[in-house]
Amino acid sequence: AEYMGVFRKMSNNRKIQAEVDRTLKRVSEGLECFDEIWNKFYNAQNANQKEKYESDLKKEIKKLQRHRDSIKTWITSNEIKDKGPLENSKKQIGAAMERFRLCERETKTKAYSKEGLAQGTRTGPEEERKEKTREWIRSSLTKLTEQLDAYETELQVLDGGVGNVKKGKKSDSDRRILLETTVANHRNHEQKLELILRCIDNDLVDLDDVDAIQEDVEYYIASNQDMDFVPDEDIYDSLNLNAIVLEDIARAASNGKKKKTDLDSESDSSQPKSEKEDLIIN
C-alpha cells in the first residue's frame, strides 16, 4: 500500500510537470508572437493598422495572463522543485504586460487626431522634458508591477496557495497584513502615476509639480518593505489630481450636452412645420 501511494504521487508529479512544460512552451511561443505584433504595431503606416495590431496584442496578452495565473499557482506548490523557469516566465509576461500598457497609452493619444498631430510637431525643449518625465513614470510603474508580482506570490505562499487563510505563526499573520497593505498602496500609486501620464499628455499638470514628487515616489519604491518605513499618504496632494479628474468629467459632460442640443436642433429644423404645430397643440 505504501509503495502504491508513492507510485501515485510520482505519477501525479509527472503529470503536473508535463503540464508545466506545456505551459512554458506556450508562453515562449506567445511571447514570440507578441514581439512580432509589437514590431508590426510600431512599423504601421496608418491609424487603422495600428488599431488592428493593438487588438491583436490585446488577444495575445490575455492568453499570456491566463498562463501567468497558472504559473503563479505552481510557484507556490511544493510539488514543483525547479521553479526557476516559472519565475523567469512570470517576469517575461509581466514585462510584456507593461509594454502593452504603453501601447494602449500611445493609441489613446490618437496621433491621427488634431491633438496627436499637434504633439507630433512638438520637438522643442518642453516636449523633450515631457518625454523625460514620461520615461521616469513608466520606469516607476514597471518597478511597482515587479514588486506587486513578488508580494502577491508571497501572499499565496502564506495562504498555502489557496484563497483560505490558514492558521500559522503570528509572524506570518503580521507579514500577511503588511503585504496586503503594501499591495493596496502599490495599486494606489499605479493609478495616480497613470493619471499623471494622461495629464501630461493633455497639458493638465505642471511639470515642475511632477518633478517635485519624484524623490518621494522613488523613496517609496525603494523602501516600502523597510521595518521603519512609514508611507507618505500626501505625496500627490500638491498635484490636485482629484480636481483635474472632476474638471475633465465636467468638460466631457458639457461637450455631451452640447452635442445633444445640436442634434435636437437639427431634428427640429428638419421637422415639417405642421408636425411641429401638432406637437405643441398635443
Side-chain angles (χ1 to χ4, degrees), residues 247-265:
E247 183 181 342
D248 201 37
I249 292 172
R251 189 185 301 112
S254 176
N255 290 338
K257 287 179 180 179
K258 184 178 184 303
K259 287 180 181 178
K260 185 178 185 303
T261 302
D262 291 343
L263 288 171
D264 290 343
S265 298

Side-chain angles (χ1 to χ4, degrees), residues 191-206:
Q191 290 173 358
K192 291 290 196 299
L193 290 171
E194 288 173 351
L195 176 57
I196 293 170
L197 263 181
R198 292 196 292 274
C199 289
I200 291 173
D201 290 340
N202 293 284
D203 296 322
L204 296 175
V205 69
D206 192 318

Side-chain angles (χ1 to χ4, degrees), residues 28-181:
S28 178
E29 293 170 348
L31 289 169
E32 286 182 13
C33 184
F34 181 89
D35 286 339
E36 289 177 7
I37 301 171
W38 175 268
N39 291 330
K40 289 178 181 178
F41 174 84
Y42 279 100
N43 290 325
Q45 299 300 313
N46 58 60
N48 289 336
Q49 287 180 331
K50 279 186 176 290
E51 286 183 359
K52 176 188 180 301
Y53 292 135
E54 185 199 0
S55 177
D56 292 342
L57 282 173
K58 190 171 187 178
K59 291 176 185 176
E60 288 302 321
I61 210 68
K62 283 185 175 180
K63 293 178 187 176
L64 289 169
Q65 283 177 311
R66 287 195 291 270
H67 293 321
R68 182 169 171 265
D69 291 339
S70 299
I71 287 171
K72 288 169 71 174
T73 300
W74 285 326
I75 287 174
T76 66
S77 172
N78 294 326
E79 295 169 327
I80 306 297
K81 301 303 179 186
D82 183 11
K83 298 178 181 178
L86 291 170
E87 292 281 4
N88 185 51
S89 289
K90 183 165 76 74
K91 287 180 181 178
Q92 289 179 316
I93 294 172
M97 289 166 62
E98 180 59 27
R99 288 167 66 194
F100 177 69
R101 287 166 68 181
L102 296 178
C103 166
E104 277 191 315
R105 293 189 197 110
E106 180 169 329
T107 51
K108 283 178 182 176
T109 302
K110 295 186 178 179
Y112 52 89
S113 67
K114 290 181 181 179
E115 294 81 4
L117 290 171
Q119 288 184 17
T121 62
R122 298 174 193 164
T123 57
E126 182 68 13
E127 185 59 28
E128 289 178 3
R129 187 182 174 197
K130 279 186 178 182
E131 187 54 34
K132 184 178 179 181
T133 304
R134 291 188 191 102
E135 285 299 325
W136 169 74
I137 293 175
R138 291 166 188 153
S139 174
S140 299
L141 284 168
T142 297
K143 292 173 183 175
L144 286 168
T145 299
E146 290 173 352
Q147 290 185 2
L148 264 174
D149 282 346
Y151 299 155
E152 288 175 342
T153 298
E154 187 177 347
L155 274 170
Q156 283 187 317
V157 173
L158 288 173
D159 292 343
V162 296
N164 298 324
V165 177
K166 295 184 176 181
K167 292 182 179 179
K169 299 177 183 177
K170 184 179 184 301
S171 59
D172 287 349
S173 177
D174 292 342
R175 177 63 178 165
R176 183 183 294 108
I177 292 171
L178 174 61
L179 287 170
E180 289 172 346
T181 302

Side-chain angles (χ1 to χ4, degrees), residues 270-282:
S270 64
Q271 203 171 42
K273 183 177 180 182
S274 59
E275 185 178 343
K276 285 195 288 185
E277 290 174 350
D278 288 344
L279 288 173
I280 294 171
I281 294 170
N282 292 333

